[in-house]
Amino acid sequence: MYSSSLADAPAIREPLHAPVAHLVRGGVTEGVHYGSVVVLGADGQVALQLGDIEAAFYPRSALKPVQAVAMLRAGLPLDGELLSLAAASHSGEERHLAGTRRILELAGVTEDDLRNVPDLPYGPEVRDAWIREGRAPSRPAQNCSGKHAAMLYTCTLNGWSLDGYLDPEHPLQQAIAEIVEDLTGQRIAAVTVDGCGAPLFSVSLHGLARAAARITTAAPGTPEARVADAMRDHAEMASGAGRDVAALMRAVPGLLAKDGFEGVEVAALPDGRAVAVKISDGANRARVPVTAAALARAGVDPALLADFAGEPLLGGGEPVGSIRPARALDPVTVRACA
């Protein structure tokens, strides 16, 4: 599985995170979000780093585009909406459930073959509607069901056993691990279990950004380009209506973006510029503005990112403060990378 050209696995250590965002209320810093940020230039070199971009960490669902590339390389024939769903952390809308069932149908399997955990929909409005209607948690409703359906489809195409498809030693997961290492350019540091039950591979934040850049700069028609095209063209299928990551892809032409639990986001442009963000405490309220600020540092027009500056801090129902990215991320005071 290992290539001699791969870098060693990142060190497993307590990350040396740095302040990446400040909560400012009434002119006073009320709180600080720590984390790490990397910005890659179009040449692949690190143009900015904050915190610890080389320590081992878990990308969570931000790694799903890489997993989708691996399945395409293993013969998965999906494109368009269904491929976007295969890389999704979806909201559990009816289109997501219908898409998951379509992939299962193409694979010749049923919902009973899924091994992701039953759950209510991830999208708050969809989840609330399910609860009002008395609907129970289900595997298709869980936000990773598209990925799991695609995993089953990949197994049937290759003659791999459906039983144990989530075992790290299963041929499917071995194939995915190989592509994780190929695209990140480094050996995997550790393997554990993600929230959905699938293997989760630990790489570095730098490696995650490098993988996203390799996906967006790949030649047309390659598995990497197919994943990027599907997610950009069907952003709501990869997430859901009203989700910030879909809105970001709509706002910035050519941008591929994917979020993950625990404050992770990765985004890349067609020329190879890329950013990756990890918020130490997992807060989405910091993830969104920090990602936007990192993209501005990468040279994206700040006007395109205005809607991603973060929610205001309220006092008595009125705005009295905001979440401000660290000054090092400000493209006005620090020259944006080429």
Side-chain angles (χ1 to χ4, degrees), residues 23-227:
L23 282 69
V24 180
R25 182 185 296 268
V28 174
T29 298
E30 184 177 35
V32 179
H33 286 289
Y34 284 73
S36 296
V37 179
V38 60
V39 178
L40 301 184
D43 59 0
Q45 298 301 305
V46 175
L48 170 74
Q49 64 179 43
L50 291 178
D52 194 344
I53 69 170
E54 303 296 355
F57 91 120
Y58 290 119
R60 303 299 300 270
S61 287
L63 200 62
K64 283 178 178 173
V66 177
Q67 293 171 309
V69 169
M71 288 188 279
L72 290 186
R73 289 195 189 182
L76 185 69
L78 298 180
D79 279 297
E81 288 189 346
L82 294 184
L83 178 54
S84 184
L85 182 62
S89 300
H90 64 70
S91 291
E93 300 163 16
E94 287 303 322
R95 59 179 159 181
H96 300 130
L97 274 63
T100 296
R101 294 182 178 117
R102 177 57 179 158
I103 296 173
L104 294 173
E105 180 183 4
L106 290 169
V109 299
T110 71
E111 295 177 19
D112 292 337
D113 294 300
L114 290 169
R115 289 295 177 266
N116 60 316
V117 294
D119 201 356
L120 293 170
Y122 177 68
E125 293 183 4
V126 186
R127 182 173 61 248
D128 290 348
W130 271 57
I131 293 172
R132 288 195 302 270
E133 296 165 7
R135 301 172 73 176
S138 74
R139 296 187 196 276
Q142 196 267 341
N143 77 89
C144 301
S145 64
K147 177 183 77 174
H148 281 255
M151 286 180 170
L152 288 170
Y153 195 4
T154 305
C155 288
T156 63
L157 291 167
N158 286 277
W160 295 332
S161 170
L162 301 186
D163 293 333
Y165 76 91
L166 297 183
D167 188 324
E169 299 302 318
H170 189 280
L172 169 70
Q173 301 303 335
Q174 290 290 296
I176 290 174
E178 182 177 355
I179 304 309
V180 169
E181 294 187 328
D182 179 29
L183 293 181
T184 62
Q186 60 189 177
R187 297 183 180 184
I188 292 167
V191 182
T192 188
V193 182
D194 209 340
C196 66
L200 179 60
F201 305 105
S202 179
V203 294
S204 69
L205 198 67
H206 187 182
L208 178 64
R210 186 163 48 231
R214 289 177 175 174
I215 289 173
T216 57
T217 58
T222 60
E224 293 88 340
R226 286 167 58 193
V227 169

Side-chain angles (χ1 to χ4, degrees), residues 267-293:
L269 292 153
D271 64 1
R273 288 174 291 160
V275 308
V277 170
K278 164 63 180 176
I279 305 301
S280 178
D281 62 7
N284 279 331
R285 69 176 183 179
R287 171 184 61 81
V288 176
V290 170
T291 298

